[in-house]
Amino acid sequence: MFEKSTWIRLPRNVVVGHGVLDQTGEAISELHLSGAPLVVTSPTPREVAGERVKAELGSLGETPEMVVVEQASFDEIERVIDVARDLEPGYLVGVGGGKAIDIAKMAAADRNLGFISVPTAASHDGIVSGRGSVPDGGTRHSVAADPPLAVVADTEVLAEAPWRLTTAGCADIISNYTAVRDWKLANRLQNAQYSEYAGALSQMTAEMLVENADSLKRGLEESAWVVVKALVSSGVAMSIADSSRPASGAEHLFSHQLDRLAPGDALHGHQVGVGSVLTAYLQDGERGDWRNVRDALATIGAPTTADELGIDDETVLEALTTAHEIRDRYTILGDGINQDAAHEAATVTGVL
Ligand SMILES: NC(=O)C1=CN([C@@H]2O[C@H](COP(=O)(O)OP(=O)(O)OC[C@H]3O[C@@H](n4cnc5c(N)ncnc54)[C@H](O)[C@@H]3O)[C@@H](O)[C@H]2O)C=CC1
Ligand SMILES: O=C(CO)COP(=O)(O)O
Ligand SMILES: [Zn+2]
């Protein structure tokens, strides 16, 4: 008898476009939520969109509250949980980059409240995902949470954000190439569960972005549109898989390790982009397609070297040789690569 079952959790409303911040209230009213909103944001996103969202939410008839977070940490999540416990809001609205959104997402999951995602930067694919990522001691990777009930991505706001945030989002998508290959490898070698649909969607999303790489330009709202649609698609792939596997392989392990060794030095997307160049080389060798990954990143202006990341050579090599320890996820790194192999990969690809 066939006994498999699966739950695919997706947002109900994904609203993308020029000026859609003003439709936040409308997007939420369709969800039939009750109670007042609690806006969770960080300092710059608060100025860029947070206050505007708060004012807009006032139109729903309840008085919105706001909490401003400074950094992604469990202490900050606890603080937001405490605020939510005191104020008893009906739902949480995360306004900002990946960190503010992840904190709101995880606090909402803890309080069993609905969560709305309002990204102010097209910098990562957590804007739609059902996963939250916050450093926890020696580990650093996403854990299960609930996906947003609605996503409101205003392309006018996203296009005005610093261009490097958008190139980080592009790199997070391009890294899906190597993530899917690692996932297939884990399926063949370790019998890890693989979803054809999630794998195909994730890979196609990366391919479409690379095909459009030439047309992605700083200040062009159309570019923000292309990138955010790709980020949504990648988040949906993670929801279908109920795992970050479609979007996170060895290149993400490398980035998570850099977060531990050199916190705050570079953006998540930029780190995974460089990690993807290294991973593509390890997966396919010198004659493989690591150059295509590197060239796609270079075309959009994302870093392809340690120098461009602002991270020193030793740290890059340490991250690469210890990345396999970060979580129990089989990738091309296997049980780890040694210093010489890491040095060879990093020099052949020009990362060092
Ligand atoms: N939950 C998930 O599935 C995923 C989570 N992530 C997490 O997301 C985080 C990375 O997100 P990022 O957005 O790269 O970093 P971030 O949230 O630290 O934002 C980077 C900077 O951009 C600023 N910023 C945001 N919007 C702006 C705007 N419109 N104008 C000017 N400045 C603006 C922020 O204030 C911050 O200083 C990492 O913690 C990563 O682990 C990344 C991918 C997936
Ligand atoms: O960043 C992610 C996907 O782009 C999430 O992946 P992790 O589960 O490795 O944190
Ligand atoms: Zn990522």
Side-chain angles (χ1 to χ4, degrees):
M1 195 170 59
F2 183 80
E3 284 178 350
K4 263 168 83 169
S5 69
T6 183
W7 281 45
I8 299 175
R9 291 190 167 89
L10 296 165
R12 171 160 162 184
N13 286 335
V14 178
V15 186
V16 180
H18 182 90
V20 296
L21 224 49
D22 298 335
Q23 293 167 35
T24 312
E26 194 183 338
I28 293 175
S29 68
E30 285 198 358
L31 303 172
H32 309 295
L33 294 167
S34 56
L38 173 62
V39 176
V40 181
T41 188
S42 57
T44 308
R46 174 191 185 160
E47 283 172 32
V48 171
E51 292 294 350
R52 201 170 135 200
V53 168
K54 188 178 169 209
E56 158 72 11
L57 292 175
S59 69
L60 294 174
E62 302 270 0
T63 308
E65 298 283 353
M66 179 181 277
V67 54
V68 180
V69 295
E70 300 285 344
Q71 64 197 19
S73 67
F74 272 89
D75 285 349
E76 285 289 68
I77 295 175
E78 279 306 321
R79 191 165 68 83
V80 174
I81 290 171
D82 286 346
V83 172
R85 203 177 278 121
D86 286 350
L87 297 175
E88 298 186 349
Y91 54 95
L92 269 59
V93 183
V95 181
K99 289 177 182 164
I101 285 183
D102 275 348
I103 289 176
K105 193 187 284 179
M106 291 173 84
D110 181 89
R111 297 298 298 152
N112 212 10
L113 292 170
F115 159 67
I116 315 294
S117 169
V118 184
T120 56
S123 52
H124 64 99
D125 56 13
I127 60 179
V128 180
S129 79
R131 310 189 63 78
S133 173
V134 166
D136 181 15
T139 63
R140 170 60 146 128
H141 56 79
S142 66
V143 294
D146 290 322
L149 297 171
V151 182
V152 180
D154 190 324
T155 48
E156 189 181 13
V157 171
L158 301 176
E160 280 172 11
W163 178 242
R164 67 188 192 99
L165 293 172
T166 311
T167 64
C170 293
D172 206 14
I173 296 297
I174 290 170
S175 81
N176 288 10
Y177 269 129
T178 47
V180 172
R181 286 210 295 231
D182 269 349
W183 193 14
K184 287 180 177 165
L185 182 76
N187 173 254
R188 290 195 297 270
L189 296 185
Q190 305 276 307
N191 209 26
Q193 197 177 348
Y194 179 77
S195 157
E196 293 285 351
Y197 282 110
L201 176 60
S202 177
Q203 192 174 326
M204 183 193 73
T205 304
E207 281 164 5
M208 283 178 64
L209 194 91
V210 169
E211 278 161 24
N212 282 299
D214 279 344
S215 65
L216 298 175
K217 299 273 182 309
R218 187 193 295 261
L220 259 193
E221 193 168 338
E222 175 84 17
S223 301
W225 169 271
V226 169
V227 178
V228 82
K229 293 285 280 283
L231 295 170
V232 169
S233 203
S234 187
V236 168
M238 288 193 264
S239 288
I240 294 174
D242 194 20
S243 158
S244 60
R245 264 293 193 183
S248 171
E251 72 298 316
H252 271 69
L253 299 182
F254 169 74
S255 167
H256 297 327
Q257 212 40 336
L258 286 179
D259 283 340
R260 293 180 60 209
L261 299 168
D265 284 4
L267 291 167
H268 168 85
H270 289 166
Q271 292 178 173
V272 303
V274 172
S276 202
V277 175
L278 293 164
T279 304
Y281 170 81
L282 295 172
Q283 287 168 335
D284 266 358
E286 162 62 13
R287 282 193 292 277
D289 62 359
W290 64 267
R291 286 184 188 80
N292 296 344
V293 177
R294 181 199 57 190
D295 294 349
L297 292 170
T299 303
I300 51 158
T304 58
T305 66
D307 239 21
E308 287 168 0
L309 279 180
I311 297 179
D312 63 70
D313 296 6
E314 290 68 35
T315 306
V316 163
L317 290 176
E318 189 180 345
L320 193 53
T321 51
T322 56
H324 63 288
E325 294 166 3
I326 202 110
R327 78 182 338 169
D328 184 19
R329 171 167 291 187
Y330 194 84
T331 70
I332 191 68
L333 297 173
D335 292 333
I337 67 173
N338 68 24
Q339 185 78 11
D340 289 346
H343 191 265
E344 173 85 6
T347 46
V348 169
T349 54
V351 167
L352 295 189

